[in-house]
Amino acid sequence: MKRDTLRYRLLEAQLELARRQERAVVLLLTGHAATHKGQLVNALNRWLENRHTEVHALAPSSEEQSRPYWWRYWRRVPERGRIGIFIHGWHGDALFARAERRLAAGAFEDRLAQIRQFEAELAAEGVVLLKLWMEIGRHAQRDRLQALAADPATAWQVGPVEWQRHVQHAAIQSLGRHLREATEAPHAPWQRLALREPDAQRPRVAEGLLAAIGEPRPAPPPPAEVAPLAAVPRLHQAAPREVEPLAKPRYRERLAAAQARLAINAREAARRRLPVVIVFEGLDAAGKGGSIHRLTAALDARQYRVHRIAAPSDEEALRPWAWRFWRRLPADGRLAIFDRSWYGRVLVERVEGLASEAAWRRAYGEIRHFEERLLAHGGVLIKLFLAISRDEQLRRFEDRAATPHKRHKLTAEDWRNREHWDDYHQAIDAMFSATHRPGAEWTLVAGDDKRRARLAVLEAVNERLEARLAAAD
């Protein structure tokens, strides 16, 4: 009767979680082989409502391997109101890669640091983590593997990998202890679960889930401040200068040459399977759209995709804010262009009060981590900010209002943003200071002269691609 009461309490709590959509829950099980992980999850699923639960236990697909490592897990983060169950997950990946020496000692420590960052980001966005280490002694593991292998009904559960894990038992035990100590946190605690039959283990896991569903965990500490690099751009550096307007014939000649050069560079990047991400940020009417059109005119349409980032959709709003950017990262050899990007959190969301101060301040560290993962995968990151003077912006606004085929480009939001001109300038310079890092530098483009700005964008993209291609030779 007590077990039935626990079962109904868990189901009731899960349904309330789904109804309120205040948080998501992640249950992660890892540890030694032959500890009933799969059977435990199956038993637990019989108590849960499967329509609000998702289980992840597959080896990475070729699609996942062609993107930065953390893409495979970010895309599986459950939306608020759901429970995501991971068998081994990111902890098992690190543990077994180190045990098999596919990760060197230093790389293992780096991975543990990434895990801490990943789990802190999840916790800050309302994802509650419950992490279970499945324990078994070496002799008990041997006896269990032999018993499973001897029974025709369970022999399929035992193969070379399971026996290899048995041989590595001492290494996995030691590495697992270090992994748990390195990734233990108030917002992401570990629990150890000794070997018992799944029906005996299930009540303890159910109690842990009840606690995770019922009470939010302590918030993780904010990321440490990072000193800005030297030569960080400042918005005033893009102030208009007295220069002779670029004549249209000369502009067309230089544009064609720059686009031909880009076509060659892009094909070579695709041949070498380099993922390329180009970020466009800038003040309203600074020419982002026109620059993107000139950029894509040089590219094979099968190779690139333009992502126009606006307010999050209902689906995106139910997940951590970085989820919608992770899922849009290109595969190896492809190119993604972001018309606005993750920097909205520290620009428009900051200035317009759409994100709390704690959220946008935390975002600086999260953005740096996100871009570091892309670069570590071998990607090319090109960040462009198009600036424009206040007088030129007003002139373009008025021109759009007076031109029928341009009116769709002008919105009430554009006029409202203009009222916060000084606030945006402060936020932009703070963004440059916090996120201008090696490999993820900002290029500031003066946009008052459209023709020169478009050429400057193409030049910046070509220079970054050529530098990356030369470094890979």
Side-chain angles (χ1 to χ4, degrees), residues 250-264 455 458 462:
R250 177 58 177 155
Y251 163 69
R252 288 176 174 168
E253 178 184 338
R254 291 178 58 185
L255 178 66
Q259 288 175 327
R261 181 177 158 203
L262 176 58
I264 294 171
L455 293 173
L458 286 163
N462 277 320

Side-chain angles (χ1 to χ4, degrees), residues 218-258:
E225 295 290 333
V226 176
L229 295 182
V232 173
R234 289 291 180 265
L235 200 54
H236 69 80
Q237 295 169 350
R241 294 172 293 173
E242 291 295 330
V243 293
E244 182 179 351
L246 189 61
K248 186 172 287 189
R250 177 58 177 155
Y251 163 69
R252 288 176 174 168
E253 178 184 338
R254 291 178 58 185
L255 178 66

Side-chain angles (χ1 to χ4, degrees), residues 55-341:
V55 178
H56 305 288
L58 298 176
S61 66
S62 58
E63 180 186 21
E64 291 168 337
Q65 291 174 333
S66 71
R67 286 178 169 86
Y69 171 80
W70 287 99
W71 183 84
R72 69 190 64 169
Y73 292 115
W74 270 104
R75 69 194 292 258
R76 290 188 168 96
V77 172
E79 65 183 39
R80 292 200 302 274
R82 294 181 65 82
I83 297 174
I85 301 175
F86 293 81
I87 298 179
H88 289 306
W90 46 95
H91 286 282
D93 281 354
L95 176 70
F96 301 131
R98 178 60 188 136
E100 296 165 11
R101 299 187 181 276
R102 289 183 284 113
L103 273 183
F108 181 60
E109 296 301 325
D110 290 343
R111 181 69 63 81
L112 296 183
Q114 293 174 18
I115 288 172
R116 291 193 295 270
Q117 293 162 356
F118 175 60
E119 293 180 344
E121 289 183 34
L122 293 185
E125 292 285 337
V127 179
V128 182
L129 292 147
L130 175 60
K131 304 185 298 188
L132 300 179
W133 174 265
M134 310 295 284
E135 190 69 80
I136 189 173
R138 187 170 187 274
H139 296 303
Q141 184 185 57
R142 179 199 59 203
D143 294 345
R144 174 158 170 74
L145 286 171
Q146 288 175 341
L148 288 170
D151 185 343
T154 58
W156 62 271
Q157 298 179 31
V158 182
V161 171
E162 285 70 32
W163 285 115
Q164 180 184 18
R165 299 282 183 260
H166 176 61
V167 171
Q168 297 169 333
H169 185 280
I172 290 173
Q173 186 76 354
S174 175
L175 290 168
R177 186 183 307 111
H178 176 56
L179 177 146
R180 295 193 304 276
E181 292 172 352
T183 60
E184 173 75 20
H187 58 270
W190 278 101
Q191 295 182 24
R192 294 173 65 188
L193 200 61
L195 176 67
R196 298 174 69 187
E197 290 303 311
D199 282 347
Q201 292 173 326
R202 179 168 49 180
R204 181 174 171 187
V205 179
E207 292 284 4
L209 277 174
L210 273 171
I213 292 171
E215 296 183 12
R217 296 269 172 74
E225 295 290 333
V226 176
L229 295 182
V232 173
R234 289 291 180 265
L235 200 54
H236 69 80
Q237 295 169 350
R241 294 172 293 173
E242 291 295 330
V243 293
E244 182 179 351
L246 189 61
K248 186 172 287 189
R250 177 58 177 155
Y251 163 69
R252 288 176 174 168
E253 178 184 338
R254 291 178 58 185
L255 178 66
Q259 288 175 327
R261 181 177 158 203
L262 176 58
I264 294 171
N265 289 331
R267 283 197 300 271
E268 183 61 16
R271 187 186 71 81
R272 301 192 191 188
R273 296 188 59 76
L274 298 177
V276 180
V277 173
I278 304 176
V279 173
F280 280 86
E281 290 287 351
L283 297 168
D284 294 327
K288 294 185 298 298
S291 295
I292 291 172
H293 281 305
R294 273 65 184 181
L295 192 70
T296 57
L299 303 174
D300 184 334
R302 297 168 295 181
Q303 180 186 353
Y304 72 87
R305 185 167 182 181
V306 178
H307 301 284
R308 183 179 180 274
I309 302 300
S313 66
D314 291 343
E315 179 189 26
E316 292 167 340
L318 286 172
R319 288 181 168 88
W321 78 275
W323 178 82
R324 61 182 175 140
F325 305 114
W326 272 101
R327 67 195 290 258
R328 289 177 166 91
L329 288 182
D332 294 346
R334 299 299 182 93
L335 189 149
I337 299 171
F338 286 84
D339 183 358
R340 306 271 188 206
S341 69

